[in-house]
Amino acid sequence: MEEYYQRQLDCLCGQVRPLSEEAKEASVCHWDGIAKPLNGLGRFERILTQIAGIQRTENLSLDRKAVVVFCADNGVVEEGVSQTDSSVTAIVTENFARGIASVNRMASTVGAEVLPVDIGVAGELHEPGIRNMKVDFGTKNFCREMAMTREQALEAIHNGIALAGELKDAGYDILAVGEMGIGNTTTSSAIASVLLDVDPEAVTGKGAGLSDEGLTRKIDAIRRGIALHHPAADDPIGVLASLGGFDIAGMTGLMLGGAISRIPVVLDGIISEVAGLLAMAICPQTVSYLIPSHLGKEPACAQIYERLHLEPVIHGNLALGEGTGAVMLFPLLDMAWEVYKENSTFEDIHVKAYEKL
Ligand SMILES: O=C(O)c1ccc[n+]([C@@H]2O[C@H](COP(=O)([O-])O)[C@@H](O)[C@H]2O)c1
Ligand SMILES: Cc1cc2nc[nH]c2cc1C
């Protein structure tokens, strides 16, 4: 099965095409004709042009939005790397389906749907409205053994790819990616350390809240995990299987699926950024389908954005996860889109257009 999954992945990645240069050029011309200073909306103009390139039309749409929240547990929590225990993952996952978690509150203000996905929560979930893509009941503790098998890593990636395709077919225009999983800042920092080739201390923070001693324990657990598995940075599936979480794998798949199905995917905090690094290692062209949102509080965030050559537009020191930072970008994009669609042009107001000097 592992070989089959890998072949399928290679084949799907071969389908990823560059963005439409024609649609991007038309979008830039459209921006330049709008009655305002040239590039007046700065990076927001460039993001909308990127979306035009992804959707392959100057007449881009941001009408239907969803945030896909991948939920999973992490065996490494037994090492005392988080202030809470794994039971919280299931509780918050069910709260997404009930519409009462932070991301639900934020998404409701912009009409974005919240789609919780159980890709590896340790317990059985009963609340209707949670998409069941469970690969296993949590990962293993990476300080003792591989977090998951390579086959499981690939299965979780394929689940994310399939979901992106399904959502594109269902008519969504843009996706945000989020996660919930106690311990996932440990798995993310471990993967970041390997893929960025930096010491764990440089990419590890306090996550959802840890004491200084807790942080030392977390860095030590990451060092032990890396020393046990020696994952190679040029083997992204091996890195994911050794140290990862099912949430990271699902997010990686959603990003690859976004590139395959041509739907933009907005990044959130450290966990999604690590998934972005993995997606880039699997299929480099995926990055052009990713939209940066905010620069998070975890120390890995800035380093990963640099590696991805992406620049976040919100600097809010966020550390919440669930896709909240990605959803925060939506109203800003809506405002820029309103100007793009509706504003008068220089021609309409009989004013000579600005020239690019
Ligand atoms: O998105 C981030 O950058 C982020 C930073 C810190 C914490 N989190 C959230 O907090 C949880 C992980 O924190 P921890 O300390 O258990 O690793 C997980 O559910 C994430 O959604 C998320
Ligand atoms: C309540 C709670 C909500 C969360 N959302 C993301 N991580 C979280 C961690 C906790 C503890």
Side-chain angles (χ1 to χ4, degrees), residues 84 88 92 180 182 320 322:
T84 45
V88 177
V92 179
M180 172 66 217
I182 297 305
L320 202 160
E322 304 181 8

Side-chain angles (χ1 to χ4, degrees), residues 10-30:
D10 295 341
C11 177
L12 287 167
C13 289
Q15 294 174 14
V16 176
R17 295 282 166 268
L19 307 198
S20 161
E21 282 306 316
E22 210 180 309
K24 282 173 64 185
E25 276 164 29
S27 160
V28 171
C29 272
H30 184 88

